[in-house]
Amino acid sequence: MRVAALDHQLTGISIPVAALRTARGCGVGEFADLAALGQWCRQAGLGLIQLLPVNDTGTNSSPYSALSAFALHPLYLNLGAVPGAERYAAEIADYPGDGRLSYARTLAFKQSIIQRIATDRAGAVDADEEFARWRARNPWVVPYAVFTCRKAASANAPWSTWGDMADPTEEKVRQWWEAHPDDCRPVAWTQYLLEQQLAAASRELQEMGVALKGDLPILMSRESVDVWFERRFFDLSGVAGAPPDMFSPSGQNWGFPVYDWESLGREGYRWWKDRLAQAGKFFHAFRIDHVLGFFRIWRIPQGETSGLLGRFSPSVCFTREELRGLGFDDGRLRWLSVPHIGGEELRSALGPDASRVAERYLLRIGREDLYNIAPPWDSEGAVQGLDEPAPVKGFLLAWHVNRTLLDAGGGRYFPAWYLETKKGFQSLSDDEKKRLRDLAGQKRRESEDGWEKSGRMLLSVVKEAAHMLVCAEDLGDVPTCVPRVLEGLGILGLRILRWAREYRSTPPGQPAPFTPPSAYPELSVCTPSVHDTSTVRGWWEEDPAEREQFFRAMGESGPCPGRMSRPLLERILAHCARAASRLCVFQVQDLLDLDETLWSADPKADRINVPGTVTDENWTWRMPLSVEELGSRSVLTERVRRLTAMRGTR
């Protein structure tokens, strides 16, 4: 897909497809609604629409937990445009569309309708030559359809429980497809229709001069057709996540398998190239979620539920020989890599429960009053599954992660994230602590050299295969090589107004100054909020100290308002719009808040997602008015147009 080269300053809007609301809607936004939004964007001077991922996620409402890297989400199919839907027109029209998205109910309704239409038109669908040609051009749809049908037939049971279909071959998949045409036909036909509708919407936007930007999650769900059918490309011995940081002290465990990049490389990265080609059918630009994963991933052992015992992969390890050279013999290496619980520590923490806990879950070391956690209970998952009081679980969990070194086997060790807080480290002499710190620093530098090479190589593959503008979500513990690589390849990084700060040059304990948007690099996307944060109005009321600091950073004088007002919101959004970034993208909620009559009673209700939580509110927000009504809000449209005019977007 192509619009005019995206090589100039452009202002856009970010919205989940599900959040769109139109007069013809059926409980959820649909691909067909994008053209109506594009018409309003033209009025407001917005030149880009950015979406969250639109891949099928099955029963999971999170768009970042894809069931397939290629299949589109059936939720976004406009039923009224499906051949044969006339018979069900009244049923479709009567489906309630008010309030938040009812994910499971709406998905079940749409799938029911399409199943009935596909059954009604079985002969016509089978005889459709264009549908047959589409299947031939999209070989991924056969394993996807088989996988989806098997999932449904097994009540969504893990693929590992599917007996002879747990390890599929191409022949097994083909045989299942041919033996179950009535099951597979609706699934494949739905994808054919979805692709037609999204491609049509993209073409309409292109004719308007509005670019469409997609979002590609870097990782795949373990319960995805890709992991099931393309198993060789994934390493299931660990899971991906993020290291601890100021927002998540225990890190994050995403539960997604990590890639086997060597296996992908042996096949010329075909799977990634095919994935990018699929996205290129619809999008003019795309966002790579967690681009740091192309450099290194936070790899967590199976059985762990937090990110505390993870490590960067790949990274350069400590060898047993190197550690012995620092004076750590095998006994001391065990002391540093295995939790050792003193009897007094045990009794002080658990009191009368101490002896029972020691007998059930610990191993005494000889005759010493010293204990290790017994192997069956030496993981976070095992401890959390115990039928024990919270203090007992908390005690075992705290000691389980109390390791200075992480033993990776084969004489390889990695430093724990909170190295200096661990009992083993604190027992070392000052000289030993220094030597261990120095070795950790050396290994980090050696690792960064490798990360730069692998990141540049893998992202070069992406850049060459993707005939789209490439943008990257480069947040978190960002290695110093990442900005260099992104800039060298012409890939846009991300700057979120509240998090774009001078962290590296700020002394510990002091608040880091905000980076002026005028100082953002041209190769960047700037935004005041994203789907994982509060809106600007919500942020303003969360942290008084940060609010005050940002108010002064904008050059404002006088008392800092404790509550948001529309004029203040305009100034904040204008501050962001003046960024030097190539793209400036506003969440739709922040733009709608330029009209006070659309304000929610509580801005927390306008969040798309709260990371680390599973609630009925996550991923279910929808616009409080239809796109048609939005077009009639001339005052709001003019206020947005004033923002876009600052950037010379048209």
Side-chain angles (χ1 to χ4, degrees):
M1 301 300 297
R2 280 291 178 269
V3 291
L6 303 179
D7 57 2
H8 58 287
Q9 284 201 338
L10 198 66
T11 310
I13 185 173
S14 172
I15 186 169
V17 172
L20 287 165
R21 193 186 299 278
T22 62
R24 66 181 178 185
C26 184
V28 64
E30 298 167 347
F31 291 142
D33 300 334
L34 290 168
L37 179 64
Q39 291 170 358
W40 178 77
C41 287
R42 277 180 55 85
Q43 296 175 37
L46 295 162
L48 177 139
I49 297 173
Q50 177 176 314
L51 306 178
L52 295 186
V54 293
N55 298 81
D56 185 4
T57 59
T59 59
N60 194 326
S61 62
S62 169
Y64 291 93
S65 186
L67 199 71
S68 166
F70 299 88
L72 298 169
H73 207 305
L75 262 181
Y76 306 139
L77 182 69
N78 178 256
L79 294 174
V82 175
E86 301 84 4
R87 182 176 177 181
Y88 306 99
E91 192 175 347
I92 295 168
D94 288 343
Y95 190 83
D98 295 334
R100 300 180 80 95
L101 168 63
S102 177
Y103 180 85
R105 179 188 175 197
T106 304
L107 178 58
F109 174 79
K110 289 201 166 188
Q111 289 177 322
S112 169
I113 295 289
I114 197 67
Q115 175 74 48
R116 283 180 273 167
I117 296 174
T119 300
D120 295 343
R121 295 176 52 82
V125 171
D126 287 342
D128 187 337
E129 294 183 0
E130 182 53 40
F131 177 42
R133 285 192 291 270
W134 178 85
R135 290 199 310 272
R137 294 193 303 269
N138 294 273
W140 57 265
V141 78
V142 171
Y144 164 75
V146 171
F147 178 85
T148 302
C149 293
R150 292 285 307 197
K151 268 282 184 187
S154 67
N156 209 42
W159 51 254
S160 58
T161 65
W162 292 356
D164 67 331
M165 288 297 283
D167 291 299
T169 62
E170 287 191 25
E171 181 61 19
K172 283 182 182 178
V173 168
R174 184 189 62 78
Q175 290 174 353
W176 209 95
W177 163 274
E178 293 175 350
H180 301 83
D182 292 340
D183 295 322
C184 292
R185 182 191 305 109
V187 176
W189 193 49
T190 299
Q191 288 302 313
Y192 171 64
L193 297 170
L194 282 163
E195 185 164 310
Q196 287 182 325
Q197 292 187 5
L198 180 54
S202 183
R203 286 193 299 270
E204 288 188 69
L205 291 173
Q206 179 168 288
E207 290 168 4
M208 299 176 197
V210 177
L212 188 60
K213 181 182 175 185
D215 190 335
L216 268 65
I218 184 175
L219 299 166
M220 299 302 303
S221 168
R222 180 186 175 92
E223 290 302 311
S224 68
V225 60
D226 303 270
V227 175
W228 174 69
F229 188 64
E230 307 268 24
R231 194 87 45 86
R232 64 196 179 280
F233 295 151
F234 299 88
D235 176 1
L236 303 188
S237 64
V239 296
D245 59 26
M246 68 182 78
F247 305 108
S248 181
S250 297
Q252 299 176 43
N253 184 326
W254 300 329
F256 299 138
V258 297
Y259 287 112
D260 184 334
W261 289 109
E262 289 187 8
S263 177
L264 282 159
R266 283 193 292 271
E267 296 191 25
Y269 304 101
R270 170 196 54 82
W271 182 85
W272 265 103
K273 291 176 181 178
D274 289 348
R275 187 181 183 191
L276 292 163
Q278 179 73 359
K281 295 177 181 178
F282 319 113
F283 302 122
H284 310 100
F286 72 98
R287 169 188 181 272
I288 303 174
D289 181 60
H290 194 63
V291 76
L292 302 187
F294 283 97
F295 295 82
R296 81 294 186 270
I297 200 77
W298 190 248
R299 188 181 190 283
I300 304 166
Q302 287 286 358
E304 300 303 312
T305 57
S306 77
L308 288 168
L309 293 188
R311 61 177 175 83
F312 287 125
S313 176
S315 57
V316 182
C317 67
F318 299 171
T319 66
R320 181 181 287 118
E321 291 68 27
E322 287 173 322
L323 291 166
R324 283 173 175 165
L326 296 182
F328 301 115
D329 60 21
D330 288 351
R332 300 194 74 198
L333 287 179
R334 191 172 192 283
W335 172 259
L336 293 172
S337 60
V338 177
H340 286 69
I341 307 169
E344 190 55 42
E345 292 166 315
L346 171 67
R347 292 183 288 274
S348 174
L350 298 182
D353 281 330
S355 59
R356 178 180 62 81
V357 168
E359 183 178 347
R360 289 187 182 180
Y361 309 120
L362 305 182
L363 292 177
R364 187 170 182 177
I365 301 173
R367 295 180 176 275
E368 295 185 70
D369 191 17
L370 196 62
Y371 304 83
N372 300 141
I373 300 174
W377 318 113
D378 201 12
S379 73
E380 290 174 318
V383 172
Q384 288 172 346
L386 295 175
D387 183 17
E388 289 285 357
V392 171
K393 289 186 179 181
F395 175 82
L396 292 172
L397 288 171
W399 276 100
H400 166 69
V401 300
N402 199 324
R403 304 165 194 260
T404 304
L405 300 177
L406 308 180
D407 187 347
R412 300 177 305 130
Y413 297 85
F414 295 90
W417 186 258
Y418 293 121
L419 178 80
E420 305 208 5
T421 67
K422 307 304 181 182
K423 178 180 179 179
F425 185 86
Q426 292 173 346
S427 71
L428 301 178
S429 69
D430 289 345
D431 183 59
E432 289 171 328
K433 289 177 182 177
K434 181 179 184 304
R435 280 182 274 156
L436 201 55
R437 285 193 201 100
D438 289 346
L439 183 61
Q442 174 193 328
K443 297 300 182 181
R444 170 77 185 214
R445 290 188 294 274
E446 292 175 10
S447 295
E448 287 227 14
D449 290 342
W451 298 341
E452 181 163 4
K453 291 175 184 175
S454 62
R456 180 175 288 108
M457 185 272 294
L458 293 172
L459 288 174
S460 293
V461 171
V462 170
K463 180 77 173 178
E464 291 167 10
H467 302 294
M468 298 169 276
L469 178 67
V470 185
C471 307
E473 185 263 301
D474 53 345
L475 304 178
D477 178 44
V478 181
T480 56
C481 63
V482 171
R484 269 197 311 273
V485 171
L486 296 184
E487 181 180 7
L489 293 173
I491 295 174
L492 278 61
L494 178 63
R495 298 295 183 275
I496 300 175
L497 202 61
R498 69 191 75 177
W499 292 340
R501 299 182 166 200
E502 304 301 322
Y503 291 110
R504 294 187 186 276
S505 60
T506 303
Q510 295 186 20
F514 288 95
T515 303
S518 59
Y520 294 173
E522 191 273 335
L523 286 175
S524 69
V525 179
C526 70
T527 183
S529 66
V530 294
H531 61 273
D532 278 340
T533 72
S534 53
T535 62
V536 172
R537 190 163 71 94
W539 172 50
W540 198 256
E541 299 176 11
E542 286 172 358
D543 189 332
E546 189 172 86
R547 177 175 67 218
E548 175 79 26
Q549 185 187 1
F550 183 78
F551 190 68
R552 302 306 167 199
M554 285 201 302
E556 299 281 351
S557 58
C560 176
R563 302 298 296 269
M564 182 59 70
S565 67
R566 193 265 304 165
L568 174 59
L569 177 62
E570 280 196 271
R571 298 202 297 276
I572 294 172
L573 299 188
H575 185 66
C576 189
R578 295 188 185 98
S581 306
R582 173 91 56 89
L583 302 183
C584 180
V585 179
F586 296 104
Q587 277 205 107
V588 64
Q589 303 97 302
D590 291 328
L591 294 183
L592 293 179
D593 276 347
L594 291 173
D595 183 340
E596 302 98 313
T597 67
L598 297 175
W599 283 21
S600 301
D602 182 354
K604 291 179 182 177
D606 292 332
R607 285 190 71 139
I608 301 295
N609 178 54
V610 179
T613 68
V614 179
T615 71
D616 292 337
E617 285 70 42
N618 285 347
W619 314 112
T620 64
W621 181 86
R622 298 191 71 204
M623 291 173 59
L625 76 174
S626 69
V627 177
E628 294 91 344
E629 292 172 306
L630 179 62
S632 68
R633 298 257 175 166
S634 57
V635 174
L636 172 60
T637 303
E638 178 57 31
R639 287 171 182 162
V640 176
R641 189 160 41 230
R642 286 203 297 266
L643 281 176
T644 62
M646 294 177 184
R647 297 178 54 77
T649 58
R650 310 307 292 178

